[in-house]
Amino acid sequence: MEKIEKLFAMLNERAEKLEKEHNITLLEGILDGLEAWLDGEVDFSQADATKEDVRKAIQIAVLKGMRKGSQPNHQMTPDTLGLLVGYFVEQIFVERLEKEKISIMDPAVGTGNLLLTVMNLLDGKIEATGVEVDELLIRLAAATADLTEQPVSLFRQDALQDLLVDPVDAIVCDLPVGYYPNEDVALDYEVCAPEGMSYAHHLFIEQSVNYTKDGGYLFFLAPTHLFESEQSKQLHKYIQKHAWIQAIIQLPDTMFANKAHEKSIVILQKQGENFKAPKEVLLAKVPNMQNKQALAMFFEKVKMWQEEK
């Protein structure tokens, strides 16, 4: 913890100074510090700091910057959720990972925290791609990926338009929730709302399936009531046609300050000729993270489900 705190303190101190002197946001000051670190103009490095130490220190600084700002799209996936997603990626690809790397894409990469948490967990076993429309966020993701020495190709664009990306083995995504403003683009999607604006999170699911290899897996952090909204009929129809639901894992209510923001991990598999639907869909709830015994039983249940697939 000491290395993380020292690194954060140096980064934060420089960012706060820039914020006052140049009348910029704290987040912009943090980005400036990260890019100066990469260029060798400043040195924040700590002896023996791991990739995870660096990622966590940057994450704390970025979170502070986001809290001071007011843009609703500047949000970050908490570590606990990133580690849980990484755990499921590891479980499902366990045999493949022993022999070769897998390709992963995050179509709403933001600052890269979810993707880089998964990459640090499976260090050296992932080739990754991230897509993000917001310039500040993608620059933060690029700097963090470079400083943690993780190989990520980043594309700054609207992920719901055509991507210059090859299909991947897996998608990880903390789905952006809300309405998608570009109705012309939404019309090309099967999950497009019959009238009015379509849900961005539904469109992201369809686009993610488009860029996944046959038999590949998709790991979404999705609203808990994903399949109960007024637009869920189109989503149900789309998933039945193109993917299999492998698992729906409800996250502890204690993780969310507001019931409306509660999320689940939804795992899909893209259908393909040489693949078959799961014998059993895993339906589970993650217990309170403080309850070690209940947590051990939860992971045991996941392991058994994975072995029986």
Side-chain angles (χ1 to χ4, degrees):
M1 278 306 288
E2 196 184 319
K3 288 172 195 152
I4 296 170
E5 282 164 15
K6 276 187 181 167
L7 216 163
F8 161 72
M10 289 189 289
L11 193 54
N12 183 58
E13 189 184 336
R14 188 180 190 280
E16 284 183 339
K17 193 168 173 240
L18 288 172
E19 181 189 24
K20 286 191 190 93
E21 288 173 4
H22 300 284
N23 195 25
I24 58 173
T25 66
L26 186 62
L27 214 47
E28 286 167 328
I30 291 158
L31 175 62
D32 187 281
L34 295 178
E35 290 180 343
W37 186 8
L38 278 169
D39 293 340
E41 293 165 29
V42 293
D43 186 11
F44 296 134
S45 53
Q46 294 290 300
D48 304 326
T50 64
K51 293 177 182 184
E52 264 298 90
D53 292 338
V54 173
R55 184 193 63 76
K56 282 179 177 172
I58 295 170
Q59 182 215 22
I60 297 163
V62 169
L63 270 174
K64 186 179 174 187
M66 285 177 172
R67 286 195 182 119
K68 277 197 85 174
S70 57
Q71 281 186 270
N73 62 324
H74 287 180
Q75 291 175 348
M76 189 188 272
T77 308
D79 276 9
T80 317
L81 301 189
L83 289 166
L84 273 170
V85 170
Y87 166 77
F88 281 103
V89 173
E90 188 174 30
Q91 285 297 308
I92 281 175
F93 285 98
V94 66
E95 287 173 18
R96 279 274 304 275
L97 289 164
E98 284 169 11
K99 298 181 285 232
E100 59 189 2
K101 289 183 180 182
I102 60 167
S103 55
I104 287 188
M105 178 169 77
D106 185 341
V109 77
T111 62
N113 203 52
L114 171 61
L115 185 59
L116 291 167
T117 302
V118 174
M119 291 185 83
N120 278 353
L121 187 70
L122 302 171
D123 199 18
K125 296 175 181 175
I126 291 174
E127 287 167 351
T129 304
V131 184
E132 175 55 51
V133 74
D134 184 295
E135 187 188 359
L136 178 59
L137 298 187
I138 202 166
R139 283 175 66 190
L140 284 163
T144 311
D146 285 345
L147 288 164
T148 53
E149 299 171 355
Q150 290 293 7
V152 185
S153 302
L154 292 166
F155 297 86
R156 186 189 165 210
Q157 70 163 97
D158 176 354
L160 297 176
Q161 299 195 21
D162 289 343
L163 302 174
L164 289 167
V165 174
D166 290 328
V168 291
D169 296 309
I171 297 278
V172 297
C173 186
D174 189 347
L175 293 169
V177 177
Y179 291 104
Y180 178 60
N182 194 331
E183 291 185 48
D184 290 340
V185 170
L187 287 171
D188 292 334
Y189 284 82
E190 290 179 46
V191 295
C192 176
E195 52 188 52
M197 287 201 289
S198 302
Y199 279 146
H201 41 299
H202 290 191
L203 300 173
F204 265 90
I205 290 172
E206 181 171 336
Q207 182 73 323
S208 296
V209 172
N210 291 339
Y211 286 90
T212 304
K213 293 175 185 175
D214 285 359
Y217 288 83
L218 304 96
F219 304 82
F220 295 119
L221 284 165
T224 291
H225 304 297
L226 179 70
F227 297 111
E228 294 160 28
S229 71
E230 71 277 10
Q231 290 186 25
S232 62
K233 195 177 168 189
Q234 289 89 327
L235 185 64
H236 272 292
K237 200 172 156 188
Y238 175 81
I239 290 176
Q240 275 182 330
K241 190 173 160 188
H242 298 281
W244 295 301
I245 296 174
Q246 286 277 354
I248 297 176
I249 297 108
Q250 204 180 330
L251 296 165
D253 336 351
T254 48
M255 278 188 178
F256 308 96
N258 187 327
K259 200 163 172 59
H261 298 152
E262 284 180 12
K263 292 185 179 186
S264 295
I265 297 173
V266 176
I267 303 174
L268 305 179
Q269 183 180 21
K270 184 173 179 176
Q271 293 180 14
E273 265 183 44
N274 304 319
F275 302 92
K276 24 180 223 280
K279 291 178 199 162
E280 182 193 354
V281 175
L282 174 67
L283 299 172
K285 182 169 182 177
V286 179
N288 186 310
M289 300 303 238
Q290 262 52 58
N291 187 335
K292 289 198 167 66
Q293 197 179 348
L295 210 52
M297 283 170 70
F298 166 78
F299 287 128
E300 194 54 42
K301 182 180 176 178
V302 173
K303 226 170 174 181
M304 282 165 65
W305 165 76
Q306 179 57 16
E307 282 164 6
E308 285 164 16
K309 277 174 72 191

